[in-house]
Amino acid sequence: MDSSGPDTSLEPTAAAFAAMLDGVGHGVVAVDRQWRLSFVNAWMERILGRSRQQLLGRELWTEFPSLRTSSFGDVYQRAMRDGVEVVHEDFVDTSNAWFEARASPSATGLILFIRDVTERRRAAQDLKDREDRLRESEARFRNMADNAPVMLWMTDETGACIWLNRQWYDFTGQTEEQARGLGWLEAVHPEDRVRAGDIFLASNAGRTAFRLEYRIRSRHGEYRWAIDSASPRLDSSGEFLGYIGSVIDIHELKRGEERLAFVSEASRVLSESLDYEATLSRTTELAVPALGDWCMVDILQEGGGIKRVKVVCADPALEPQVRETVNFPPVVSGGASHLPSQALREGRALLVEDAGDAYKQQAAYSPEHLAHMRAIGFQSVMSVPLVARGRRLGVITFLAIHPGRRFTQSDLETAEELARRAALAVDNGRLYHEAQQAVRVREEFLQVASHELKTPLTPLSLKLQMLARSADSLPRERFPRLSSDLEMMRQQVHRLSSLMDELLDISRINSGRFSLTLEVVDLCALVRDSASRFEPEVHRLGGRLVVDVPEPLVGVWDRQRLEQVMTNLLSNALKYGGGRPVRVRVWGEGNTACLEVRDEGIGIAPEALPRIFEKFERAVSDRHYGGLGLGLYITRQIVEALGGTIRAESELARGSAFTVKLPLMPPASAS
Ligand code: ADP
């Protein structure tokens, strides 16, 4: 306690200062010019682990020898020497902490302010580490993005493009300046641009994910189909930042789909008709521009020549070249590198991806030909032979004229697929044509032959009748077998005559010369008449013919043809009737006359039933039953010409029933 009494001055005493400095959250140390410690605050005592009593008056360097060689020592000495304030920060291993020291010169020496800045340093370090990591991850992302096999992009919240990966620039040839903002749309096909832009901007307003397809121009000027899928970018609080999207080249996929559709459409067209020139013509039209900008077909002719049957070109400006190209068909000799000639010669598909002037010079077989090819100005060509059943029929050639269009191996495969189908169609057409020709020849022959064969039968039959009459006057005992032999001969001539009639009818039906002579006919009388003509045969076979016909049933029909129907059905019933009874029934149903011929004979197998009304179809073996298989075919033709129907019901070994239904008045077409 001071004897002069309590200190009442407003100036704080050194002790009060010291107490104040003890309260601060950092170290305060004072040294005199001889580096003797004159003040150490409580914070510093804690840090140094030494008390004020131990330190005051002692030399700094002696007490803390390691300080002299530390960075702090240098700084303190500089501050003392130069009389300037120096601030320094360093890590102190012994404290495992960062300290900041401010050395301020004072009147008596130096005052050192020391702060533990470990927290701040760590926070700064953390920030730096985080930044480094971010930079590193961004570099990694960019590297990844640039090497990804797709084009990637990013927009800001306004929809402006702010980043695109290297793939985009490599593919489109755009620069960063060109692509940014909405500049990327310049690389989109003009026909797709408005649609793509609209979807893009609408999605941006709605902030929804989207997908769009468009064609994108490559740096070579070629447009390729791409699919662009985008998702909104959101920050951690869900705030919309823009979009991130990827653009994938789906050109091959799309072309594949188009090719498939094209080939299936072509197949449909090819199977539509058997006229092969018309079919080829339509296929060629289909192939342009799907498969090429120019398509032409050359067909080998019977005599060995080659005819350019069709040329189609997508560009009307090339009309003169289309017209003159008939002068430059494939050649058998010469034109060694001329693709259509070569493909035809070697029988294999060929492709020249780059058919520039060098190709044209090699391929040309005359100066005019060269000029012609140059005038068309194609850059790519492929030729595929038309081969069916090992036979070369011709060649189809495709040209790529459109700038940037080049044929690829997959184009060639599609062309081959098309050629395979086209060749089949050509072959079918030819076969059909040949078959038709053969049928015509046969019909003509049948007509002439049946006519010629029938001619001698009429006088022969007359002679037989006369002979039979003369034989009646001869004594039976001298010629016991004569009349039966003559009857047998008459039957055979009759049979031959019927067969000839059938053949003649067939040729009439085939040549469209089959006609009806309509008159009023009583079906019941007609049936009774026909049946009575069969009596001798029924008698001979030992069977029975039951005829059930009511009152007259009158209609307008062709009498002779109806007799023929009756004859055919009755003779079949007797022939296949196994000697058992045959029943004939006639009845009316409104405006329809019905006729049924039923037997109890061998019957018809179910699988044969549907075809017995066809030409030359038989359900029995030729060995057991003679016949041409024409009777029912002719019967059906007659019944249908009269506007009626014929139906057969049968069961094997049980018998058959044939039902004819005829309108009383035949349709107008019948006359
Ligand atoms: P075909 O000259 O062979 O008799 P059709 O055209 O008259 O020719 O008859 C065709 C085929 O239908 C015959 O070959 C025979 O197999 C079968 N068929 C026709 N009528 C009968 C029937 N009543 N009973 C059994 N089979 C029949």
Side-chain angles (χ1 to χ4, degrees), residues 442-443 506 510 611-617 628-630 633:
R442 191 194 66 185
E443 300 296 351
I506 287 295
N510 287 344
R611 57 179 173 83
I612 55 170
F613 292 103
E614 301 300 328
K615 227 188 282 183
F616 303 115
E617 289 293 349
L628 295 176
L630 290 174
Y633 173 73

mmCIF file of all heavy atoms in Angstrom, residues 442-443 506 510 611-617 628-630 633:
data_model
loop_
_atom_site.group_PDB
_atom_site.id
_atom_site.type_symbol
_atom_site.label_atom_id
_atom_site.label_comp_id
_atom_site.label_asym_id
_atom_site.label_seq_id
_atom_site.Cartn_x
_atom_site.Cartn_y
_atom_site.Cartn_z
ATOM 1 N N ARG A 442 -50.470 -74.561 -124.472
ATOM 2 C CA ARG A 442 -51.209 -75.784 -124.144
ATOM 3 C C ARG A 442 -52.698 -75.641 -124.501
ATOM 4 O O ARG A 442 -53.293 -76.546 -125.084
ATOM 5 C CB ARG A 442 -51.060 -76.072 -122.647
ATOM 6 C CG ARG A 442 -51.551 -77.443 -122.258
ATOM 7 C CD ARG A 442 -51.719 -77.569 -120.780
ATOM 8 N NE ARG A 442 -52.792 -76.691 -120.321
ATOM 9 C CZ ARG A 442 -53.105 -76.506 -119.042
ATOM 10 N NH1 ARG A 442 -52.393 -77.081 -118.106
ATOM 11 N NH2 ARG A 442 -54.094 -75.731 -118.697
ATOM 12 N N GLU A 443 -53.257 -74.469 -124.132
ATOM 13 C CA GLU A 443 -54.677 -74.247 -124.432
ATOM 14 C C GLU A 443 -54.940 -74.362 -125.930
ATOM 15 O O GLU A 443 -55.911 -74.980 -126.362
ATOM 16 C CB GLU A 443 -55.127 -72.852 -123.968
ATOM 17 C CG GLU A 443 -54.991 -72.581 -122.482
ATOM 18 C CD GLU A 443 -55.877 -73.472 -121.641
ATOM 19 O OE1 GLU A 443 -56.720 -74.176 -122.213
ATOM 20 O OE2 GLU A 443 -55.687 -73.495 -120.404
ATOM 21 N N ILE A 506 -63.360 -77.085 -121.689
ATOM 22 C CA ILE A 506 -62.272 -76.458 -120.931
ATOM 23 C C ILE A 506 -61.612 -75.360 -121.756
ATOM 24 O O ILE A 506 -61.383 -74.249 -121.264
ATOM 25 C CB ILE A 506 -61.221 -77.523 -120.524
ATOM 26 C CG1 ILE A 506 -61.782 -78.406 -119.417
ATOM 27 C CG2 ILE A 506 -59.916 -76.886 -120.065
ATOM 28 C CD1 ILE A 506 -62.058 -77.679 -118.117
ATOM 29 N N ASN A 510 -61.447 -71.493 -120.682
ATOM 30 C CA ASN A 510 -60.160 -70.803 -120.553
ATOM 31 C C ASN A 510 -60.038 -69.605 -121.472
ATOM 32 O O ASN A 510 -59.443 -68.596 -121.117
ATOM 33 C CB ASN A 510 -59.006 -71.754 -120.840
ATOM 34 C CG ASN A 510 -58.823 -72.743 -119.704
ATOM 35 O OD1 ASN A 510 -59.353 -72.525 -118.615
ATOM 36 N ND2 ASN A 510 -58.116 -73.822 -119.967
ATOM 37 N N ARG A 611 -61.210 -79.768 -103.081
ATOM 38 C CA ARG A 611 -60.571 -79.507 -104.371
ATOM 39 C C ARG A 611 -61.198 -80.247 -105.547
ATOM 40 O O ARG A 611 -60.746 -80.084 -106.684
ATOM 41 C CB ARG A 611 -59.062 -79.796 -104.295
ATOM 42 C CG ARG A 611 -58.702 -81.182 -103.855
ATOM 43 C CD ARG A 611 -57.214 -81.409 -103.815
ATOM 44 N NE ARG A 611 -56.935 -82.706 -103.215
ATOM 45 C CZ ARG A 611 -56.963 -83.851 -103.860
ATOM 46 N NH1 ARG A 611 -57.238 -83.870 -105.154
ATOM 47 N NH2 ARG A 611 -56.721 -84.979 -103.226
ATOM 48 N N ILE A 612 -62.259 -81.036 -105.300
ATOM 49 C CA ILE A 612 -62.796 -81.833 -106.409
ATOM 50 C C ILE A 612 -63.468 -80.986 -107.489
ATOM 51 O O ILE A 612 -63.643 -81.435 -108.613
ATOM 52 C CB ILE A 612 -63.779 -82.937 -105.939
ATOM 53 C CG1 ILE A 612 -64.900 -82.298 -105.102
ATOM 54 C CG2 ILE A 612 -63.056 -84.035 -105.178
ATOM 55 C CD1 ILE A 612 -66.024 -83.258 -104.800
ATOM 56 N N PHE A 613 -63.792 -79.725 -107.159
ATOM 57 C CA PHE A 613 -64.414 -78.859 -108.177
ATOM 58 C C PHE A 613 -63.372 -78.092 -108.997
ATOM 59 O O PHE A 613 -63.713 -77.275 -109.827
ATOM 60 C CB PHE A 613 -65.368 -77.854 -107.514
ATOM 61 C CG PHE A 613 -66.584 -78.507 -106.916
ATOM 62 C CD1 PHE A 613 -66.701 -78.702 -105.545
ATOM 63 C CD2 PHE A 613 -67.612 -78.956 -107.744
ATOM 64 C CE1 PHE A 613 -67.818 -79.309 -104.995
ATOM 65 C CE2 PHE A 613 -68.743 -79.562 -107.188
ATOM 66 C CZ PHE A 613 -68.845 -79.748 -105.817
ATOM 67 N N GLU A 614 -62.065 -78.363 -108.688
ATOM 68 C CA GLU A 614 -61.009 -77.674 -109.441
ATOM 69 C C GLU A 614 -60.628 -78.496 -110.672
ATOM 70 O O GLU A 614 -60.878 -79.697 -110.736
ATOM 71 C CB GLU A 614 -59.759 -77.473 -108.560
ATOM 72 C CG GLU A 614 -59.995 -76.677 -107.287
ATOM 73 C CD GLU A 614 -60.500 -75.273 -107.540
ATOM 74 O OE1 GLU A 614 -60.110 -74.690 -108.581
ATOM 75 O OE2 GLU A 614 -61.311 -74.771 -106.746
ATOM 76 N N LYS A 615 -59.973 -77.783 -111.593
ATOM 77 C CA LYS A 615 -59.551 -78.398 -112.857
ATOM 78 C C LYS A 615 -58.582 -79.557 -112.622
ATOM 79 O O LYS A 615 -57.645 -79.409 -111.836
ATOM 80 C CB LYS A 615 -58.813 -77.323 -113.662
ATOM 81 C CG LYS A 615 -59.255 -77.239 -115.112
ATOM 82 C CD LYS A 615 -58.361 -76.306 -115.887
ATOM 83 C CE LYS A 615 -58.647 -74.859 -115.656
ATOM 84 N NZ LYS A 615 -57.814 -73.972 -116.478
ATOM 85 N N PHE A 616 -58.791 -80.680 -113.249
ATOM 86 C CA PHE A 616 -57.917 -81.870 -113.219
ATOM 87 C C PHE A 616 -57.771 -82.489 -111.833
ATOM 88 O O PHE A 616 -56.899 -83.321 -111.616
ATOM 89 C CB PHE A 616 -56.512 -81.557 -113.766
ATOM 90 C CG PHE A 616 -56.523 -81.009 -115.166
ATOM 91 C CD1 PHE A 616 -56.104 -79.721 -115.440
ATOM 92 C CD2 PHE A 616 -56.969 -81.797 -116.233
ATOM 93 C CE1 PHE A 616 -56.123 -79.215 -116.725
ATOM 94 C CE2 PHE A 616 -57.000 -81.294 -117.528
ATOM 95 C CZ PHE A 616 -56.578 -80.006 -117.779
ATOM 96 N N GLU A 617 -58.609 -82.081 -110.867
ATOM 97 C CA GLU A 617 -58.495 -82.648 -109.518
ATOM 98 C C GLU A 617 -59.315 -83.926 -109.430
ATOM 99 O O GLU A 617 -60.485 -83.953 -109.810
ATOM 100 C CB GLU A 617 -58.986 -81.639 -108.466
ATOM 101 C CG GLU A 617 -58.069 -80.464 -108.257
ATOM 102 C CD GLU A 617 -56.737 -80.848 -107.622
ATOM 103 O OE1 GLU A 617 -56.598 -82.000 -107.157
ATOM 104 O OE2 GLU A 617 -55.835 -79.989 -107.606
ATOM 105 N N LEU A 628 -60.886 -87.552 -116.484
ATOM 106 C CA LEU A 628 -59.911 -86.466 -116.628
ATOM 107 C C LEU A 628 -59.921 -85.512 -115.437
ATOM 108 O O LEU A 628 -59.085 -84.642 -115.322
ATOM 109 C CB LEU A 628 -60.217 -85.658 -117.900
ATOM 110 C CG LEU A 628 -60.060 -86.394 -119.231
ATOM 111 C CD1 LEU A 628 -60.490 -85.495 -120.377
ATOM 112 C CD2 LEU A 628 -58.618 -86.838 -119.438
ATOM 113 N N GLY A 629 -60.920 -85.675 -114.577
ATOM 114 C CA GLY A 629 -61.012 -84.737 -113.443
ATOM 115 C C GLY A 629 -61.521 -83.386 -113.906
ATOM 116 O O GLY A 629 -61.172 -82.359 -113.324
ATOM 117 N N LEU A 630 -62.355 -83.382 -114.935
ATOM 118 C CA LEU A 630 -62.852 -82.105 -115.462
ATOM 119 C C LEU A 630 -64.356 -81.934 -115.283
ATOM 120 O O LEU A 630 -64.867 -80.827 -115.301
ATOM 121 C CB LEU A 630 -62.521 -81.989 -116.957
ATOM 122 C CG LEU A 630 -61.031 -81.801 -117.283
ATOM 123 C CD1 LEU A 630 -60.826 -81.859 -118.789
ATOM 124 C CD2 LEU A 630 -60.526 -80.481 -116.728
ATOM 125 N N TYR A 633 -65.495 -79.665 -112.487
ATOM 126 C CA TYR A 633 -65.037 -78.297 -112.754
ATOM 127 C C TYR A 633 -65.989 -77.625 -113.740
ATOM 128 O O TYR A 633 -66.468 -76.518 -113.501
ATOM 129 C CB TYR A 633 -63.608 -78.330 -113.317
ATOM 130 C CG TYR A 633 -63.111 -76.980 -113.769
ATOM 131 C CD1 TYR A 633 -62.756 -76.000 -112.852
ATOM 132 C CD2 TYR A 633 -63.005 -76.689 -115.126
ATOM 133 C CE1 TYR A 633 -62.316 -74.759 -113.265
ATOM 134 C CE2 TYR A 633 -62.568 -75.447 -115.556
ATOM 135 C CZ TYR A 633 -62.217 -74.485 -114.616
ATOM 136 O OH TYR A 633 -61.785 -73.251 -115.032
#
